Amino acid sequence: MKRSAVLTAIVVVGLTVAGAAAQRGGGGRGGSPIPPTGAIEKIKDNLYKIPGAGSNTTVFITDDGVVLVDTKLANNGELIMKQVRTVTEKPVTTLINTHVHPDHNGSNDYFKAARPNVQVVAHDNTKKWVTANPKANRAWTPDTTFANVARLGSGRDRIELYWFGAGHTDGDAFVVFPALRAMCIGDLMAWNMAPLIDPQTKGSVIALPDTLEKALKGIKDVDLVIEGHGNVNTWAGFRAYTEFNRALLTVAQRSLKRGETPEQALAELEKNKKFAVFMKEELLPGLEYGSTPRARALININVAYQELKGEPVTTNFGPPRGGGPGPAAPPSK
């Protein structure tokens, strides 16, 4: 699927982060086809990941059936199921959506059509945004929601759900598998670089560090962090990533107060070599949407400037041309 097709496929309420970001490059770099649904990869014991075609899909095999966390772009359900069938014949019983974007819930309909009693689980705010979208597929609507903490199953099959505030959207769920010391983080962390922020669903660069820090304190005994796209990271990697997002906001606050440009703030952030992993200048392997880590950091500094000034956020896909106010120009195709 070409990135232009993804722009059409991913619409939530007005302009969504996944749709506009589907054109990789931000600074005019051209895109390439989004990777298709890939082969299933074992993470640990009964936990697997299926990459490509939008979000990672996490597969958790329980005594009663299969739990899927996120279902990629639309029309990938059969391909997901084909991969699941290589490791188990159990039915899919539960879908957990980490947030509202249709690169994470796009194939819910395949599983609901196959088994109407399949339960869709998400945060309260995710249901709010689905309900507000007149173009939403009915299968995106959660059957079960939670506010702050929820638990599904028991024993080794237990799943814990947490919400700590806004970040990528205002409905981002942390999905924890305690017996396996593993966690899905959705697009609060993807490709190990600063997340794209969706202001249409109340995502916020200002709120993001608080949310991540609350998760660090509130979630215990996790070793593996399955990112929304790309990597399986470590808890230490998540901690470093949280520190980076706090540092980015702090630099933006100080630089704005001094009357400096976002580019000057970025240069200040780059001085801390501890954050070099989040500031790379090359496109990462397998990247589906977005740009380089360094470009993502600059995008979020621009967003922070607008949030701090109380302005509508128009720079969440790239700075406006000419450095002035107004929406960012679309990247070249």
Side-chain angles (χ1 to χ4, degrees):
M1 181 181 290
K2 297 289 185 181
R3 284 182 163 76
S4 58
V6 176
L7 282 171
T8 301
I10 303 179
V11 178
V12 181
V13 181
L15 184 64
T16 68
V17 67
Q23 298 180 70
R24 182 168 74 190
R29 299 184 71 164
S32 59
I34 284 184
T37 296
I40 196 166
E41 304 167 9
K42 187 169 186 174
I43 297 173
K44 182 180 180 182
D45 297 341
N46 56 328
L47 189 67
Y48 300 81
K49 175 173 76 75
I50 304 173
S55 66
N56 283 327
T57 295
T58 300
V59 181
F60 181 53
I61 303 173
T62 72
D63 286 344
D64 295 330
V66 177
V67 177
L68 300 180
V69 180
D70 292 335
T71 62
K72 308 187 181 301
L73 292 163
N75 303 315
N76 282 281
E78 185 175 356
L79 295 172
I80 292 169
M81 202 66 221
K82 182 178 179 180
Q83 292 302 314
V84 171
R85 284 287 170 258
T86 67
V87 295
T88 183
E89 291 296 323
K90 292 181 177 181
V92 172
T93 59
T94 306
L95 308 177
I96 301 173
N97 294 140
T98 56
H99 61 287
V100 68
H101 293 144
D103 58 334
H104 290 255
N105 62 16
S107 293
N108 281 13
D109 55 352
Y110 173 88
F111 299 98
K112 290 289 268 185
R115 299 183 79 239
N117 61 339
V118 166
Q119 291 292 297
V120 177
V121 183
H123 185 260
D124 290 342
N125 289 340
T126 293
K127 184 173 183 177
K128 173 187 68 178
W129 294 119
V130 172
T131 303
N133 179 9
K135 296 183 179 181
N137 188 308
R138 290 178 63 183
W140 299 349
T141 304
D143 302 298
T144 301
T145 63
F146 73 101
N148 297 308
V149 181
R151 289 174 176 80
L152 308 175
S154 60
R156 288 189 57 81
D157 291 344
R158 189 170 88 254
I159 299 171
E160 297 175 352
L161 305 175
Y162 297 90
W163 179 84
F164 293 104
H168 175 61
T169 72
D170 71 354
D172 302 306
F174 295 80
V175 183
V176 178
F177 309 98
L180 300 177
R181 301 178 66 93
M183 174 179 79
C184 294
I185 195 171
D187 282 358
L188 283 166
M189 186 178 189
W191 296 296
N192 204 29
M193 60 182 178
L196 287 168
I197 299 298
D198 183 3
Q200 298 296 328
T201 55
K202 306 300 183 183
S204 169
V205 169
I206 291 177
L208 176 65
D210 287 341
T211 296
L212 297 176
E213 288 165 1
K214 289 174 184 176
L216 275 175
K217 294 177 181 178
I219 298 174
K220 307 297 182 184
D221 301 321
V222 166
D223 300 323
L224 300 175
V225 179
I226 305 163
E227 299 182 19
H229 301 253
N231 308 318
V232 176
N233 216 311
T234 64
W235 191 255
F238 173 50
R239 183 179 298 278
Y241 174 79
T242 299
E243 292 172 359
F244 166 72
N245 282 283
R246 172 60 70 190
L248 184 150
L249 176 59
T250 299
V251 164
Q253 290 168 324
R254 292 173 179 172
S255 295
L256 179 61
K257 189 174 182 179
R258 292 194 293 258
E260 297 173 348
T261 66
E263 289 75 15
Q264 288 174 303
L266 182 69
E268 183 67 25
L269 185 63
E270 285 183 298
K271 291 179 182 178
N272 192 333
K273 301 305 179 185
K274 177 180 181 180
F275 301 134
V277 67
F278 307 113
M279 300 286 284
K280 295 179 179 179
E281 295 194 62
E282 69 269 19
L283 290 172
L284 303 180
L287 185 73
E288 291 168 311
Y289 354 100
S291 188
T292 67
R294 186 177 185 273
R296 283 281 193 95
L298 180 58
I299 284 172
N300 278 13
I301 290 171
N302 272 279
V303 171
Y305 269 46
Q306 290 191 301
E307 286 192 54
L308 290 165
K309 291 188 287 185
E311 298 175 353
V313 173
T314 60
T315 57
N316 49 308
F317 303 122
R321 290 183 179 177
S332 302
K333 294 183 180 178

